Amino acid sequence: MRWSRLYVPTLRQDPADADAVSHRLLLRAGYIRQLMAGHYTLLPLAVRVRTKIVDIIREEMSRIGAQEFSLPAMHPAEIWQKTGRWDVMGDEMFRLRDRKGADIALGMTHEEIFTTLALELRSYRDLPQMWYQFQTKFRDEPRPKSGLIRVREFTMKDAYSFDVDAAGLDTAFDAQQAAYVRIFERLGIPAVAVQASSGSMGGSASVEFMCPSSAGEDLIVRCPSCGYAANVEKATSQVEAAADEAGPDAPEQFPTPGVRTIADLADGFGAPADRQIKTLVYLLDDELTLVLMRGDHGLVEQKLLDATGARSVRPAHPEEIREALGALPGSLGAVGVSGLRIVADLALQGRRDMFTGANVDEVHLRGVDISRDIAVGSWADLREVVAGEPCANCGTGLEVLRTIEVGHIFKLGYKYSEALDLTVLGADGTRVTPIMGSYGIGVERALAAAVETHHDEAGIVWPVSIAPFEVAVVVVGKDEETVAAAERLYSELQAAGVDVILDDRAERPGVKFADVELVGIPFRVTVGSRGVKAGALELTHRATGETESVPLDAVAPRLRELISS
């Protein structure tokens, strides 16, 4: 490829509306352009990178025996209705109607569609199966941002396994997890495998692959000693045991004028946050529910959903709270409350002599014994782990990292096969329901994560494996001898299978060098008259900035050595 013929609209200034590093650099370096919020055009350089990412994923999928399909992106509503996800997915699902009035969805994911296809499986002898595709997905993100990290239209590699029993699913899951480790290593993405919630996808075992980045929207918890790692939606830690006094025989009311927050009660009335019961009011599938937390602990809503099996959750409105409890937030409590569901965090178990609201505005209670005074319906781990808390496994202080989710694998179990009546004939002649797994990688998000990981002040620093070109041959000079030497090297590298671009533009050397750095090509060979006459050319390493002088006839072998190392 010749740069003079390639469309690379680089920008000299940072785009004003680009927040994430990858967003800024992919715009500046001429990789992407925005059509509207959450929808991006991939320009030629981005298509080249995307293709290399897809090729690596495809190779690793083939390595574990997965077979590639291509399924429709537009789905009839009935299939999603059978699994219950037509309603569960809510506003994130793009929906439309065709000219006959039929409800249709733009696919967010393809569990239902692959399971429908699997209805043609007849016998246990047809299993196991592992199927995958690269397909455009659509999600109506309310706040698309950060370029390719959070979008409404994207490419996903999604794979699905079908096995006759749980042991077979374990084998498929382990194979996929090992493949994901190899994929992200080859892509140059330092992905951390963490325990995660399955969320609306359903299932049991769930592992996310998370790339540390300040542009990420997910928090993970990691132990630097024993390797424990989990999404904050799943993470646990040790909670120091409390040494509570017995307290009074019954809760005592006391006035708290002006108290609205945990801090207000702690500062003005000698009630430390760790001795307060924070009462949150939520609607879980439209059922008003009191959620009790220790005053200094935060609630993770996904943990609440996972613990209760609820499909939807939202905080109750003030008027709903007033009608149910007789007070507004700031003075709420669960003492003496009956007729409402009460879910409490495990950190409150056994606590005595606690403070909480009295369900009377500007009045609180002291001396609350939770087991005596509150009718807790269920207990669960609901709290958010924070940095420094002891690891539940080894006691070491935990780290909390901001990350980008680049992959997610689930053991789906029987959720979709049962809902869609998928069965095969078993070895004993009875009908058997296959057990399923689901495995996804966001392709463009992986591209952005690679940029978030590999960049400097001058631009992108692509890993060789996914760079749009491995080598840039930059012509500096117009004399025939220099141009001829550059053309010979360009042809020689092409013949050797090197992915090379010849920068033959009529631009100043500084402009060419800056563009090569901004675009992120791993190796640059400068072909100038002085080097040609001396019989040696400058080879610059983008990642380190180091330059070495290489004899003309050794440039191609040296580059092949560097690329393959």
Side-chain angles (χ1 to χ4, degrees), residues 53 200 291 332 471:
I53 293 172
S200 62
V291 181
L332 303 179
V471 177

Side-chain angles (χ1 to χ4, degrees), residues 174-219:
D174 291 345
Q176 285 281 346
Q177 184 160 351
Y180 273 44
V181 170
R182 293 191 298 269
I183 286 167
F184 292 120
E185 286 178 351
R186 294 179 63 183
L187 297 181
I189 297 175
V192 180
V194 305
Q195 299 174 27
S197 167
S198 298
S200 62
M201 300 303 176
S204 53
S206 177
V207 174
E208 288 176 337
F209 291 82
M210 313 296 281
C211 174
S213 169
S214 60
E217 295 187 313
D218 291 290
L219 297 177

Side-chain angles (χ1 to χ4, degrees), residues 428-445:
D428 61 357
T430 62
R431 304 302 296 181
V432 176
T433 300
I435 191 169
M436 293 176 57
S438 176
Y439 319 92
I441 293 176
V443 176
E444 290 86 9
R445 183 178 285 190

Side-chain angles (χ1 to χ4, degrees), residues 231-393:
N231 190 302
V232 72
E233 296 177 344
K234 191 78 171 180
T236 62
S237 65
Q238 295 181 26
V239 179
E240 185 177 352
D244 296 333
E245 299 293 333
D249 293 335
E252 300 170 350
Q253 285 193 0
F254 63 102
T256 52
V259 169
R260 296 291 182 271
T261 66
I262 297 293
D264 290 342
L265 192 63
D267 294 341
F269 296 89
D274 64 353
R275 289 190 57 211
Q276 295 185 44
I277 304 169
K278 179 165 51 180
T279 304
L280 307 173
V281 187
Y282 277 87
L283 267 78
L284 300 179
D285 293 341
D286 297 324
E287 180 185 2
L288 202 71
T289 302
L290 304 190
V291 181
L292 309 185
M293 306 292 300
R294 208 172 81 177
D296 57 338
H297 288 167
L299 169 70
V300 177
E301 288 187 0
Q302 187 60 53
K303 285 189 174 183
L304 180 61
L305 286 170
D306 292 343
T308 61
R311 291 184 172 186
S312 64
V313 58
R314 71 164 174 85
H317 300 312
E319 60 272 16
E320 294 170 324
I321 296 172
R322 170 75 79 180
E323 180 180 354
L325 298 175
L328 290 174
S331 301
L332 303 179
V335 173
V337 172
S338 60
L340 292 179
R341 184 180 190 180
I342 301 176
V343 182
D345 182 65
L346 291 171
L348 290 174
Q349 270 190 324
R351 296 300 305 272
R352 304 180 299 175
D353 200 19
M354 300 288 282
F355 294 82
T356 191
N359 289 329
V360 178
D361 289 336
E362 300 190 331
V363 176
H364 280 73
L365 298 172
R366 61 165 62 94
V368 175
D369 183 318
I370 293 178
S371 61
R372 179 192 68 195
D373 302 321
I374 299 176
V376 175
S378 60
W379 296 88
D381 172 22
L382 303 175
R383 67 184 185 87
E384 180 177 347
V385 173
V386 298
E389 291 181 347
C391 172
N393 295 335

